Amino acid sequence: MNSIRKNAIIVGVLFILAAVSAIIGLALYQPILNDPDFIIKGAANNTQVIWGAFFELILAFSVIGISYMMYPILKKKNENIAIGYVCFRLLEGTIVVIGIISLLSLVTLNQDFSKVSNQNVSSFLIAGKLLVAVHNWTFLFGPNFALGPSTLMMSYFLYKSKLVPRYISIFGLVGGPLIFTSAVLVMFGVFLQVSVWGAILAIPVFAYEMSLAIWLIVKGFNSTQLANSCASV
């Protein structure tokens, strides 16, 4: 049980680390994301963007780490959910890394632009916009599309197993489908991902992750329910 308590604390810390690093990374990326001419304006903000990539890398590792630490607990009660959760979290982390590579590639092009004489400015601008577009789509498919099913699976497991208070699980049962629905609406152009509606639809999943994180750090899993590892889900 000491090992399970330790896992709970690590998972809680990783949830908070993932949320904080995602926010910081997005904030640091603003020079690239909001300026289509970034690639031809010199290297003044390159270090800031690289730091943004560093924080997003922490996000990717945190997401994967959560699935790794939760797998043995999930497997005791439902192996299918355990495997599904790991797969969707790995997918999310992989998509985040693709987004990181796209923006670091843009930094490289920015550096190359200043070294090449007789540059074809339009070609650099097109390449830059393409790389930003790749990141924008990864930002949608990772934190929204992939996050929705993993949140739904985990919260369903927690609701049935009663390892944490059920109000936390309910946040996830509501938040998972909502964040997935939000991704679909963004994909079809109903509203922007970074918008009032995007933020509103993300509130339940954020509440789920933060309430779960705090509970796991402070209280851990319900030891009585956890001990009954043969109970059906």
Side-chain angles (χ1 to χ4, degrees):
M1 295 304 295
N2 287 336
S3 175
I4 297 298
R5 181 72 184 99
K6 182 171 150 184
N7 275 26
I9 293 172
I10 293 174
V11 169
V13 170
L14 288 176
F15 265 117
I16 294 174
L17 189 60
V20 172
S21 59
I23 293 170
I24 294 175
L26 183 61
L28 291 172
Y29 280 156
Q30 294 312 300
I32 279 185
L33 300 180
N34 292 333
D35 187 354
D37 296 333
F38 170 86
I39 200 167
I40 63 173
K41 289 188 174 180
N45 294 311
N46 280 352
T47 300
Q48 178 178 332
V49 173
I50 292 171
W51 273 109
F54 173 76
F55 278 101
E56 275 216 318
L57 195 59
I58 293 175
L59 164 63
F61 287 156
S62 298
V63 164
I64 295 171
I66 290 168
S67 67
Y68 176 79
M69 299 305 294
M70 284 299 302
Y71 180 77
I73 299 170
L74 291 165
K75 186 180 178 182
K76 287 182 179 180
K77 290 182 177 287
N78 193 315
E79 188 171 2
N80 290 332
I81 287 181
I83 294 172
Y85 185 73
V86 169
C87 288
F88 274 104
R89 281 306 208 173
L90 284 173
L91 176 62
E92 182 182 350
T94 301
I95 293 172
V96 170
V97 170
I98 293 172
I100 293 170
I101 293 171
S102 69
L103 292 192
L104 289 180
S105 298
L106 184 51
V107 170
T108 300
L109 283 179
N110 176 273
Q111 294 169 342
D112 289 343
F113 181 82
S114 62
K115 298 176 183 177
V116 178
S117 58
N118 300 318
Q119 305 101 323
N120 186 334
V121 175
S122 62
S123 296
F124 274 87
L125 289 175
I126 292 171
K129 290 177 181 179
L130 175 62
L131 290 170
V132 170
V134 170
H135 173 269
N136 289 342
W137 282 111
T138 61
F139 184 56
L140 178 66
F141 274 78
N144 283 32
F145 272 118
L147 177 61
S150 67
T151 298
L152 183 60
M153 283 187 288
M154 173 64 81
S155 55
Y156 172 77
F157 166 81
L158 293 174
Y159 183 85
K160 297 294 287 185
S161 64
K162 302 178 184 177
L163 293 182
V164 298
R166 280 190 160 175
Y167 74 86
I168 296 177
S169 307
I170 291 172
F171 280 142
L173 289 171
V174 173
L178 275 182
I179 201 70
F180 186 87
T181 301
S182 174
V184 173
L185 295 175
V186 170
M187 186 170 67
F188 283 98
V190 177
F191 53 78
L192 297 176
Q193 186 175 4
V194 182
S195 65
V196 173
W197 277 111
I200 290 173
L201 293 176
I203 288 174
V205 75
F206 181 78
Y208 158 75
E209 291 190 345
M210 292 304 97
S211 59
L212 177 60
I214 293 170
W215 184 270
L216 291 180
I217 293 170
V218 176
K219 297 285 188 178
F221 294 109
N222 185 317
S223 57
T224 301
Q225 295 295 332
L226 190 60
N228 188 13
S229 59
C230 294
S232 61
V233 175

